[in-house]
Amino acid sequence: MPDRLTGLELRSTVSNDGKLTLSLEPVTLDPPGPDEVIVRVEAAPINPSDLGLLLGPADMATLQPGGSADRPTLTAAIPQARMGAMKARLDQPLPVGNEGAGTVVQAGENVAGLLGRKVGMIGGAMYAQYRKIAARDCIPLPEGASAADGASMFVNPLTALAMVETLRMEGHKALVHTAAASNLGQMLNRICIADGVPLVNVVRNDAQAAILREIGARHIVDSSAEDFREKLTDAIAQTGATLVFDAIGGGKLANAILHAMEAAANRSATEYSRYGSSTFKQVYIYGALDLGPTELDRGYGFAWSVSGFLLTPFLMKLGMEGTMRLRARVAAELKTTFASHYTATISLTEALDPAVVAAYAKKATGEKYLIDPSR
């Protein structure tokens, strides 16, 4: 029987007294079951979706280091007004990290062929030196692919593919994406260019626009420009976009896009309606780069909807066959369409350095951090 493995795992705890604590805790793994593997984690990205669990609602200005050099801790205060949403996770040391990649070091009898293979995996608790996981939640990486290549092969690639799948399922012609120069946004552009799907990209400055122009994006609109509303309406009129995926969440951007969609629809209207156009406009909020309220003035008729979007419920609706189809595309195009680029690779201990935390917590466009727990 294989030996039991012990390694460190990053945990995030919110205590009843309003304090967030990040720590590295030793975890001992029993040998894998018949359909399980144990993976030495060699790469795990820090996605915006990870930061919600990792840092929660903590005040980043109050970060305080502690512990030892090899077992550091980090604490921060949580404002009392934000504690109400934390009730269900109080005093639970929760593992973090949605996805990752590494080398299979132990394998159950039914999946022995994976032993020694590099795999990408999803299932949480990836900010750890070892991860025991069902083999069905792993994808063997293509020949020559590194753990860093496979680390981000689930969350962003599947979300980008889900956006295009949603467009087709709901009968839209084109879509609008905000924070469009992000890692995910670049993947979405490559998909849409390859699949012939018109895409309107909303960015915040010309540097971000340059990133998208480099990969061939056609419709790029800068929300900081004086003529933003006019250019946005033009792009929507040209593409016929009626679907929005919004990574921002708070503020007035979704509202501005709905207004532009209504204005674009009215350009071809043949008669006036007091209720606005009959063109249905759908906004899905899938991110929270702005934590403020979503501001809607409802000045775009009545044929519209704003709702949330999460990848897991979508994949459940799509079904196993559809999900496996999307996974197969990601694996086949891992180093092209779905390639990820990282600002820096850090160790587990560096992930608890206050200066490093401040950098990756910014969620800056074009900056993506990778944790290598094996370092």
Side-chain angles (χ1 to χ4, degrees), residues 108-267:
E109 58 184 304
N110 295 337
V111 289
L114 290 175
L115 189 62
R117 292 288 304 273
K118 287 196 182 299
V119 297
M121 51 187 170
I122 190 166
M126 296 298 170
Y127 300 165
Q129 292 175 323
Y130 296 99
R131 178 67 163 90
K132 184 164 75 169
I133 192 167
R136 67 174 178 272
D137 293 324
C138 300
I139 296 179
L141 301 187
E143 190 69 31
S146 68
D149 291 329
S152 296
M153 68 185 300
F154 289 94
V155 176
N156 282 348
L158 292 179
T159 300
L161 287 170
M163 292 175 179
V164 177
E165 289 289 316
T166 299
L167 174 139
R168 293 170 176 147
M169 291 165 65
E170 296 186 358
H172 300 277
K173 289 173 54 180
L175 61 93
V176 178
H177 185 224
T178 69
S182 65
N183 183 269
L184 186 155
Q186 293 174 52
M187 291 181 185
L188 180 61
N189 269 277
R190 296 185 195 109
I191 294 167
C192 288
I193 291 169
D195 293 7
V197 176
L199 171 64
V200 178
N201 298 277
V202 179
V203 298
R204 289 177 290 179
N205 54 54
D206 192 59
Q208 294 176 2
I211 293 172
L212 297 182
R213 284 195 292 268
E214 178 88 12
I215 61 176
R218 179 179 177 188
H219 302 283
I220 308 169
V221 188
D222 184 350
S223 63
S224 68
E226 290 185 4
D227 60 353
F228 168 60
R229 294 290 188 100
E230 178 184 349
K231 295 296 186 183
L232 179 63
T233 303
D234 289 343
I236 290 172
Q238 291 168 21
T239 59
T242 51
L243 175 65
V244 185
F245 281 94
D246 179 30
I248 308 300
K252 299 180 179 180
L253 184 55
N255 192 67
I257 297 171
L258 285 168
H259 272 289
M261 286 181 167
E262 180 71 358
N266 284 330
R267 286 185 180 182

Side-chain angles (χ1 to χ4, degrees), residues 6-7 12 23 46 112 137 154 305 320 344:
T6 297
S12 174
S23 61
I46 301 176
D137 293 324
F154 289 94
S305 176
M320 183 56 69

Side-chain angles (χ1 to χ4, degrees), residues 41-78:
V41 184
E42 297 159 352
I46 301 176
N47 294 313
S49 56
D50 297 309
L51 291 173
L53 178 58
L54 181 67
L55 302 176
D59 180 356
M60 291 295 98
T62 66
L63 289 174
Q64 293 290 330
S68 61
D70 59 340
R71 294 277 301 279
T73 63
L74 197 60
T75 60
I78 299 175

